[in-house]
Amino acid sequence: MRHFPSPDDVDLDAFYGLPPVAVGGVHVRSNFVSSLDGAAEVDGRSGGLGGSADRRVFRMLRWLADVVLVGAGTAVAEDYGPVVVPPERRDRRLAAGQAPIPPVAVVSGSLRLDPSARLFSADVRPLVLTARAAPADRYRDLAAVADMVVCGDETVDLATALNVLAGRGLGRVLCEGGPSLHASLAGADLLDELCLTLAPLLAGPDHARIVGGHRWPKPVTMTLGHVLEDDGSLFLRYLRR
């Protein structure tokens, strides 16, 4: 059997480092964990699939990003809070020309978000990417606790949303789901890479996958960047071909 290095034994900055992004450019990376049979959640949450090594990679990807992008359903189901960055890592980000803590950007056309949720009490003000048709009362309530950005008329246009983020200097985008948002990015050829943790378990039928929604006209092909392994879990980095 071939043995692969563990996340404990490598420089994760080197393994997951991002290419330079031009001013106004964007690089979109997604991060997911999945069971061997394709489940992206257990009991409605992804935490049951990942172990300590997965959490280390999860943190590193956040520390390398300019912004964390998430769909409203995932933000609510996972009870999203602010990104946690230790002081030494904040200094490193500042030296690299990044903000000390990346903001979270939530995609929501309906704005079914609770303004009192812990995400909206963070020191770093989150963004809400929404559509012009969003309910005016919800928009007004959320505008008190988040930066509201209109990115489409009836629905959120993701290409527009990414351009808006890039225009704010948030070109290195980390998408953490959910499956519908991930599928929309990949299906529109807006996804540059996928970091996938493959957990050594079978979750059984009737679970969400890392993509969801409507059928694509053709598959999205990717090429393998690297493989790490820890206690049976595989850490895969795929790049857009």
Side-chain angles (χ1 to χ4, degrees), residues 6-8 12 50-59 197 229-231 233 235:
S6 164
D8 283 336
L12 291 181
S52 59
D54 179 65
R55 289 189 288 273
R56 286 194 296 276
V57 172
F58 173 85
R59 289 192 296 267
T197 299
E229 185 273 337
D230 184 87
D231 196 26
S233 291
F235 300 86

Side-chain angles (χ1 to χ4, degrees), residues 122-169:
D123 292 336
V124 177
R125 191 175 174 92
L127 295 87
V128 175
L129 310 177
T130 190
R132 193 164 283 104
D137 56 339
R138 294 176 185 166
Y139 186 102
R140 183 177 57 254
D141 291 344
L142 286 168
V145 293
D147 289 349
M148 306 297 291
V149 185
V150 175
C151 304
D153 293 326
E154 297 300 320
T155 60
V156 177
D157 183 87
L158 292 177
T160 300
L162 294 176
N163 286 334
V164 168
L165 293 176
R168 291 175 171 239

Side-chain angles (χ1 to χ4, degrees), residues 13 22 81 88 97-98 110 128 130 138 142 164 170 209-210 213-215:
D13 274 289
E88 66 275 11
Q98 293 176 291
S110 65
V128 175
T130 190
R138 294 176 185 166
L142 286 168
V164 168
L170 306 175
R209 300 167 57 225
I210 67 169
H214 301 294
R215 183 185 295 270

Side-chain angles (χ1 to χ4, degrees), residues 13 18 60-67 89-103 169-173:
D13 274 289
L18 289 166
M60 176 57 67
L61 297 183
R62 284 184 154 202
W63 295 345
L64 291 170
D66 293 325
V67 60
R89 194 74 205 191
R90 297 184 192 188
D91 293 341
R92 187 164 179 167
R93 287 176 58 88
L94 285 169
Q98 293 176 291
I101 300 174
L170 306 175
R172 285 162 288 199
V173 179

Side-chain angles (χ1 to χ4, degrees), residues 60-86:
M60 176 57 67
L61 297 183
R62 284 184 154 202
W63 295 345
L64 291 170
D66 293 325
V67 60
V68 174
L69 183 69
V70 62
T74 296
V76 172
E78 301 279 353
D79 189 23
Y80 259 59
V83 176
V84 177
V85 182

